[in-house]
Amino acid sequence: MFKGIVVEKDAEGYRASLAEIDENRLPAGDVTVRVEYSTLNYKDGLAITGKGPVVRSFPMVPGIDFAGVVEQSDHPDFKPGDTVVLNGWGVGEAHWGGLAQRARVKGDWLIPLPKRFSTRDAMAIGTAGYTAMLCVMALERHGLKAGDGPVLVTGANGGVGSVAIALLAKLGYTVTASTGRPGESDYLRRLGATDVIDRKELSEPGKPLQKERWIAAVDSVGSHTLANVCAQLRYNGVVTACGLAQGLDLPGSVAPFILRGVSLVGIDSVMRPKADRVAAWERLARDLHGPILEDIATEIALPQAIDAAARLMRGEIRGRLVVDVNAS
């Protein structure tokens, strides 16, 4: 038996609870992992609270990522004792995820954890930080270099935003953070933001073309915010889009793309090929300073995850929530 969060939907409604789970109920997979840490991401908040159609089968153990130690393996790349990390692949949505003390998954979904990181470090980074790194790498592929101009990060207090600011600042970029919580300005400046603006500047309907402000942006918000970011990008600017906190829609214009040569790059982290994942984690090990993780991350125990998910959906969480699945 092991402990885990279980999401159920039946005649009694939608609910999440902490439960004792028989290991025989673990889904099919060729690697069994003793989970040490997981996290709470936006998707996990949706899954636990039921505020979005994230869970595709019931019952479900949520948690789109985890880090831990291999216990059993029939996969040629992994053996008992290996330390591994998993992000995405539909885990926590269609396949039991990481908010539990055990997980059984396909070995092809796992990557070795870089030696520089502990399993706690890995989840202080988590899917949010791994996604932020994918965004930064996409900006670099577009040709962005430090000194080209200011870079905007929206949703700055969230997990993606926090890590993106820290990474970009470490690489020498001048970073502006957009946030709905101006009281967190000191935190954002500690991460490396030079300027902090109120998200209200971007969240309302705007003109198709606006004053050129940013050479690049990392956006995790979507909707009017993303449309305004595109309208404010400088000539040949680029924005990476990886989230939809404000909405799925993009109520904008083609004007920035055809008159200023702006590029919009979509970032998928869920089904990313393994080679890209390994490259992103290697870059994180190189470019993300360890002390930053302590500022970004707050640790909670597994029994606190359900209440924390509700707070996450209310926008009350700063940075990353690391879940110690073995703490009570």
Side-chain angles (χ1 to χ4, degrees), residues 8 15 29 94 103 130 142 154 208-209 253 328:
E8 298 176 276
R15 61 192 181 279
Y130 147 70
H142 189 78
T154 67
L209 279 179
S253 163
S328 56

Side-chain angles (χ1 to χ4, degrees), residues 31-34 66-70 77-79 81-86 110-113 119 122-123:
V31 180
T32 302
V33 178
R34 184 178 75 253
F66 63 77
V69 178
V70 172
D77 291 347
F78 300 101
K79 64 183 184 304
D82 287 346
T83 306
V84 294
V85 62
L86 181 144
L110 299 167
I111 66 168
L113 181 64
T119 52
M123 290 298 98

Side-chain angles (χ1 to χ4, degrees), residues 152-155 176-182 185 189 195-207 209-214 219 221-233 246:
L152 175 70
V153 176
T154 67
T176 297
S178 169
T179 179
R181 288 180 277 171
S185 293
R189 293 182 188 278
D195 297 301
V196 180
I197 64 172
D198 194 310
R199 70 182 179 194
K200 292 179 182 178
E201 293 187 28
L202 300 167
S203 60
E204 300 298 327
K207 295 180 180 179
L209 279 179
Q210 302 170 35
K211 180 181 178 180
E212 296 180 49
R213 302 175 71 180
W214 331 106
D219 177 67
V221 179
S223 192
H224 290 291
T225 296
L226 178 54
N228 284 320
V229 170
C230 290
Q232 294 179 15
L233 284 177
Q246 187 178 10

